[in-house]
Amino acid sequence: MTDTTKLATATAASRPMTGAEVVLAALVEQGVEVIFGYPGGAVLPLYDAIFKQDKIRHVLVRHEQAAVHAAEGYARSTGKVGVVLVTSGPGATNTVTGLTDALMDSVPLVCLTGQVPTHMIGNDAFQEADTVGITRPCTKHNYLVKDVEDLASAIHEAFHVARTGRPGPVVVDLPKNVQMGQAPYKSMEQARIRGRVEVREPSMERIEQAVDLLKRAERPVFYVGGGVVNSGTEACATLTELVRATGYPVTLTLMGLGAYPASDPQFLGMLGMHGTYEANMAMHDCDVMVCIGARFDDRVTGTTAKFSPNSKKIHVDIDPSSINKNIAVDLPIVGDALPTLRAMLDAWNRRDNEPVKNERTAAWWSQIEEWRGKNSLGFRNSSSLIKPQYAIQRLYELTRDQDVYITTDVGQHQMWAAQHFKFEKPLRWMTSGGLGTMGYGLPAAIGVQVAHPDSLVVCVSGDASWLMNMQEMSTALQYRLPVKSFILNNSYMGMVRQWQEFFHGNRYAESYNDSLPDFVKLAEAFGAVGLRCTSPDQVDDVIREMLKVDRPVIVDCVTDQAENVYPMIPGGAAHNEIQLAPDDDWGVVKGSEDGMVTV
Amino acid sequence: MTMPEERHTIVVLVDNEPGVLARVIGLFSGRGYNIESLTVAEVDKERGLSRINIVTTGTRLVIEQIQNLLARLVPVHKVQDLTLEGPHVERELALVKITGTRERLVQALRIADFMHARLVDSTPGTFVFECTGTSDEVDAFISLVEPAEVSRAGVVAMARGQSMLQSDRSE
């Protein structure tokens, strides 16, 4: 009997297995296909169990933080739960950034951490850390499994918690003796899963009220976030149907990009600090705002005191604690986006509606078109320097006919990618929104490529961000994952430099990246392909070459060092105080005294 | 627009498991909310349930947040804002130690008598009183007998009337 069939037979018969085998069997039953991990002393029994089976694939990363980001990329591009396996102590503490990132952006993960044996916990043993203590504030829930009898239930419950309600990361800490103990397997059916994380059915009464408000609105706007993407492709399709049925404008948050097709004329672009003029002005001046699956984040609202002063606000969210947190709303609806959107669409269609282009909203649309006329994402192109916006536009144009997934790091390049890459479909855009984690992009791209081996996966990055997890090039090479790193190299931590320029008198303290590596040689050192473009006329050729290569590629796109991200709502300002690029008579961006303290 | 701070008593029914109190306290400290008083003890041995009583202050929005964030925790069975939900009983217990001359102790005993505090221990030159009542009553007793060493148990609370606090969770 092979070990795999033994595992399967044991699963069926519920005869004792080792704890490590129980974990593997539970993962298989949960539908796990791939684990991102890094071995170590406290997880050797689990790695031994992985070695003896062939149902679950293990991807060896080069740093535990990257394991979590890879699992995030996998989860966010598939809608499945991402799985991480790391050892105790430093293995576990290295996951903290990734776990916090996943918590902020509501990404479903299960992170298995090794732990010293139960009798040594608290002894300051080698590679011991209080993992449940350290990860308590950065997980949706966590477990320390002290008894092998509880193991199967803990794993099943961990998956349940990770994927239900507002998704999030869950840590299961597994002492080595528990992995080596013996216990019968418990299936999902037999396991004791606490059902606390239930999703409430949305209130139909409130949905009717919301649609009544919408139907009377003269200046409506839909403000939609990542919650709709998390709810699934069907929720995004239903959103699109509802928005089109109403004929109203829609704006998306950074996390929501792709939930509504970017090419649609009703789409106003992204909103927030670096959102479009029309989206932010519409948010400020609207009379009815429908927020679905977004959380009134400070990057979106600007100063809350002056946020959309004259609107009735409807807020649909799966997480009651997101409602009335930053902004008091008039009509809260707790529920998953999909059933809520379906019910709203149904309620809308049941009413006697005017045609989409009607008198009531005509003035609003002509106002929006006037704002749109400002072309707030416009930039003055150059024939000698590569403008980063131009590079992203070319990347978008030259990959339009492909099934493309974009990941980013954090900073200026992230904003330009969000502004200039147009997403027609959900699950194609992976970025660190809430936490703003530099170093997210490359490992996330690896996770996406593992999930979609035949698709094009591009990590749009900056020179500073990319270096933060560059060791993952080895992972890409080992598993023949042809991820493309498209680095907008301006030799600066661009967003830091931009803020120093605006708010700290051009004193570029420590934001210049001296001694950068030669990215082309670096690519070659890893066994990948390195390409470079330094002038605008080379950009297309380099992108075409990048697309031709069926191997990992690093593109060193050397851009204008002085370019800033516009439009911008400086800290402490309101949506209607948004500032466009300096060409447009706005002068230099200046923050208020109050705004200086905001991040 | 600043909203007034309100004082609320919230009771939480939780699984009695390691770390559950840390989760609750971490939620308050992590988000900068106040804890005026917190008590916890197992109340249902068979089902392994503990009850946590929290007295907190905050704006209406903060109180709503606290309730929602507590309800989000996996080991939490039930959250009830007693202040919001109507009439309820709040009691507190304190041990109060007085030292000093015979005159001082006799006077404390007299105060204890009309304040309904009970003498639970005495050694030469010291009395220990047990005082139960509302927080205000306990405060009043302490202020009358000070200086004293005080150990307070914190507020325990319960809604009045027919309703019984039960787990929301299906078995």
Side-chain angles (χ1 to χ4, degrees):
Chain A
M1 203 195 287
T2 68
D3 286 310
T4 317
T5 49
K6 196 173 91 190
L7 192 71
T9 320
T11 310
S14 290
R15 57 182 188 72
M17 308 172 158
T18 67
E21 286 170 337
V22 167
V23 172
L24 265 291
L27 295 182
V28 169
E29 197 187 347
Q30 290 290 343
V32 175
E33 290 161 352
V34 58
I35 297 175
F36 299 91
Y38 201 103
V43 281
L44 287 176
L46 271 165
Y47 272 86
D48 207 34
I50 288 174
F51 188 83
K52 291 178 186 162
Q53 57 84 50
D54 58 7
K55 287 207 170 89
I56 295 178
R57 187 178 163 201
H58 180 272
V59 173
L60 174 68
V61 295
R62 301 307 194 257
H63 188 293
E64 289 90 349
Q65 183 197 349
V68 186
H69 293 325
E72 286 186 275
Y74 178 90
R76 291 186 53 189
S77 65
T78 59
K80 297 180 193 168
V81 178
V83 181
V84 176
L85 172 57
V86 297
T87 194
S88 64
T93 56
N94 274 344
T95 64
V96 166
T97 302
L99 293 169
T100 312
D101 192 272
L103 185 71
M104 292 282 270
D105 285 347
S106 310
V107 185
L109 297 183
V110 170
C111 175
L112 309 171
T113 56
Q115 182 55 278
V116 300
T118 47
H119 63 270
M120 290 178 81
I121 290 177
N123 283 6
D124 294 333
F126 178 64
Q127 293 197 329
E128 181 189 353
D130 175 9
T131 301
V132 286
I134 291 168
T135 61
R136 200 175 287 124
C138 63
T139 52
K140 191 172 166 188
H141 192 59
N142 62 14
Y143 303 83
L144 168 60
V145 183
K146 285 184 171 167
D147 184 343
V148 67
E149 295 282 339
D150 301 332
L151 187 50
S153 288
I155 303 275
H156 290 308
E157 188 176 287
F159 275 86
H160 173 74
V161 171
R163 66 162 78 96
T164 55
R166 178 179 177 179
V170 179
V171 161
V172 188
D173 201 22
L174 302 167
K176 196 170 181 181
N177 59 328
V178 171
Q179 298 169 39
M180 298 172 84
Q182 297 265 323
Y185 180 68
K186 281 199 193 97
S187 68
M188 232 188 293
E189 284 279 292
Q190 301 160 317
R192 191 187 75 103
I193 294 174
R194 288 173 293 179
R196 180 68 209 175
V197 197
E198 292 153 1
V199 180
R200 281 193 237 164
E201 283 302 311
S203 151
M204 290 304 151
E205 195 190 330
R206 294 212 179 152
I207 286 173
E208 294 293 334
Q209 288 170 17
V211 173
D212 281 340
L213 271 174
L214 269 178
K215 207 174 135 41
R216 287 198 302 269
E218 290 176 3
R219 301 186 308 280
V221 69
F222 284 96
Y223 147 45
V224 177
V228 176
V229 179
N230 268 340
S231 186
T233 46
E234 221 177 313
C236 297
T238 312
L239 168 78
T240 307
E241 222 180 309
L242 175 66
V243 170
R244 285 184 178 151
T246 58
Y248 295 166
V250 57
T251 176
L252 296 173
T253 67
L254 181 71
M255 302 305 292
L257 295 178
Y260 189 87
S263 60
D264 189 284
Q266 282 170 250
F267 182 52
L268 304 183
M270 181 176 77
L271 82 162
M273 183 173 275
H274 296 296
T276 65
Y277 187 71
E278 54 271 33
N280 286 315
M281 292 301 285
M283 286 290 282
H284 186 270
D285 285 5
C286 65
D287 66 349
V288 175
M289 174 188 296
V290 192
C291 168
I292 308 167
R295 57 185 177 88
F296 295 91
D297 173 75
D298 58 86
R299 287 300 103 146
V300 155
T301 59
T303 179
T304 52
K306 294 187 249 176
F307 177 76
S308 193
N310 302 312
S311 60
K312 287 269 182 223
K313 297 171 187 73
I314 301 160
H315 187 184
V316 179
D317 207 292
I318 200 164
D319 174 12
S321 73
S322 281
I323 294 174
N324 284 337
K325 182 176 63 182
N326 300 334
I327 298 288
V329 297
D330 302 281
L331 191 58
I333 300 172
V334 177
D336 184 17
L338 178 59
T340 311
L341 283 163
R342 275 187 182 146
M344 285 177 89
L345 181 63
D346 178 57
W348 179 270
N349 287 337
R350 267 190 281 107
R351 281 165 174 71
D352 184 17
N353 290 311
E354 305 149 83
V356 160
K357 285 198 190 327
N358 56 46
E359 284 280 302
R360 181 168 42 87
T361 55
W364 181 232
W365 269 114
S366 67
Q367 172 67 75
I368 287 170
E369 291 308 331
E370 196 187 314
W371 290 328
R372 224 180 222 163
K374 289 208 179 266
N375 185 25
S376 61
L377 300 184
F379 58 97
R380 190 175 292 165
N381 212 353
S382 156
S383 57
S384 54
L385 293 171
I386 301 175
K387 289 286 179 179
Q389 302 95 319
Y390 173 74
I392 301 288
Q393 282 184 347
R394 295 314 300 157
L395 180 69
Y396 169 61
E397 292 296 338
L398 295 172
T399 57
R400 279 184 82 162
D401 55 342
Q402 303 206 29
D403 187 28
V404 57
Y405 292 80
I406 301 288
T407 73
T408 76
D409 280 294
V410 171
Q412 287 186 319
H413 71 270
Q414 178 190 29
M415 292 299 108
W416 285 317
Q419 291 175 336
H420 296 279
F421 207 98
K422 308 292 178 195
F423 294 92
E424 298 297 311
K425 288 192 251 176
L427 308 178
R428 297 297 194 278
W429 164 248
M430 270 57 58
T431 194
S432 171
L435 193 64
T437 311
M438 290 169 71
Y440 171 88
L442 179 59
I446 284 170
V448 175
Q449 191 82 75
V450 165
H452 310 276
D454 301 320
S455 299
L456 172 65
V457 182
V458 184
C459 164
V460 174
S461 189
D463 44 292
S465 279
W466 192 86
L467 288 177
M468 280 205 184
N469 266 321
M470 65 167 223
Q471 76 286 345
E472 296 309 314
M473 282 303 287
S474 278
T475 310
L477 265 292
Q478 180 181 346
Y479 296 95
R480 298 173 197 279
L481 303 167
V483 294
K484 320 296 186 202
S485 292
F486 192 77
I487 301 175
L488 299 177
N489 179 358
N490 61 1
S491 301
Y492 277 97
M493 299 159 206
M495 194 58 93
V496 174
R497 191 208 31 75
Q498 176 168 342
W499 281 52
Q500 288 171 335
E501 182 180 324
F502 290 171
F503 311 122
H504 296 277
N506 296 305
R507 291 179 296 278
Y508 298 151
E510 306 295 327
S511 56
Y512 180 68
N513 293 323
D514 205 336
S515 311
L516 279 174
D518 178 332
F519 285 106
V520 173
K521 283 190 183 154
L522 189 62
E524 285 159 7
F526 277 112
V529 175
L531 301 169
R532 176 175 293 123
C533 47
T534 54
S535 75
D537 56 348
Q538 298 168 338
V539 171
D540 279 19
D541 287 346
V542 159
I543 292 172
R544 286 204 184 90
E545 182 60 28
M546 173 185 93
L547 298 177
K548 246 192 279 171
V549 180
D550 189 26
R551 289 166 58 196
V553 177
I554 300 173
V555 172
D556 182 16
C557 182
V558 181
T559 64
D560 182 358
Q561 295 192 345
E563 195 61 32
N564 289 325
V565 181
Y566 295 104
M568 181 168 183
I569 304 174
H575 280 150
N576 62 342
E577 295 165 317
I578 185 169
Q579 304 192 21
L580 303 184
D583 286 2
D584 299 85
D585 312 328
W586 289 87
V588 182
V589 169
K590 281 274 173 275
S592 64
E593 289 279 304
D594 293 345
M596 284 281 282
V597 299
T598 61
V599 179
Chain B
M1 187 183 66
T2 48
M3 273 193 277
E5 297 246 319
E6 299 170 9
R7 181 177 183 273
H8 282 241
T9 305
I10 296 170
V11 294
V12 194
L13 211 54
V14 298
D15 286 322
N16 182 15
E17 62 180 24
V20 64
L21 192 58
R23 284 181 211 284
V24 170
I25 293 171
L27 187 154
F28 280 79
S29 63
R31 295 185 186 255
Y33 302 146
N34 299 313
I35 298 180
E36 218 169 78
S37 147
L38 183 144
T39 65
V40 57
E42 190 171 60
V43 291
D44 185 341
K45 257 209 158 54
E46 201 183 315
R47 298 167 68 203
L49 293 178
S50 288
R51 180 177 175 128
I52 301 176
N53 303 277
I54 306 166
V55 181
T56 182
T57 52
T59 62
R60 189 180 56 78
L61 287 185
V62 164
I63 301 290
E64 192 184 314
Q65 269 288 301
I66 290 172
Q67 213 181 329
N68 286 330
L69 289 166
L70 284 168
R72 214 165 73 158
L73 299 176
V74 173
V76 167
H77 286 241
K78 175 87 181 173
V79 184
Q80 194 177 26
D81 184 336
L82 292 176
T83 309
L84 210 65
E85 288 181 21
H88 63 279
V89 185
E90 275 186 33
R91 306 293 282 175
E92 214 189 326
L93 181 146
L95 293 177
V96 181
K97 187 195 277 181
I98 315 284
T99 59
T101 60
R102 205 181 116 77
E103 287 70 37
R104 181 158 192 265
L105 294 179
V106 168
Q107 203 196 347
L109 200 58
R110 216 174 286 136
I111 295 166
D113 191 41
F114 77 78
M115 295 292 287
H116 305 293
R118 216 156 56 92
L119 182 66
V120 289
D121 185 61
S122 68
T123 64
T126 75
F127 280 169
V128 175
F129 295 101
E130 174 199 301
C131 174
T132 60
T134 64
S135 297
D136 286 345
E137 285 164 357
V138 173
D139 284 345
F141 176 67
I142 293 166
S143 70
L144 287 172
V145 297
E146 267 176 336
E149 180 191 339
V150 178
S151 176
R152 291 175 81 144
V155 170
V156 290
M158 199 174 268
R160 291 186 60 202
Q162 292 287 319
S163 76
M164 304 278 271
L165 188 76
Q166 276 174 343
S167 168
D168 278 345
R169 209 177 284 169
S170 49
E171 281 305 302

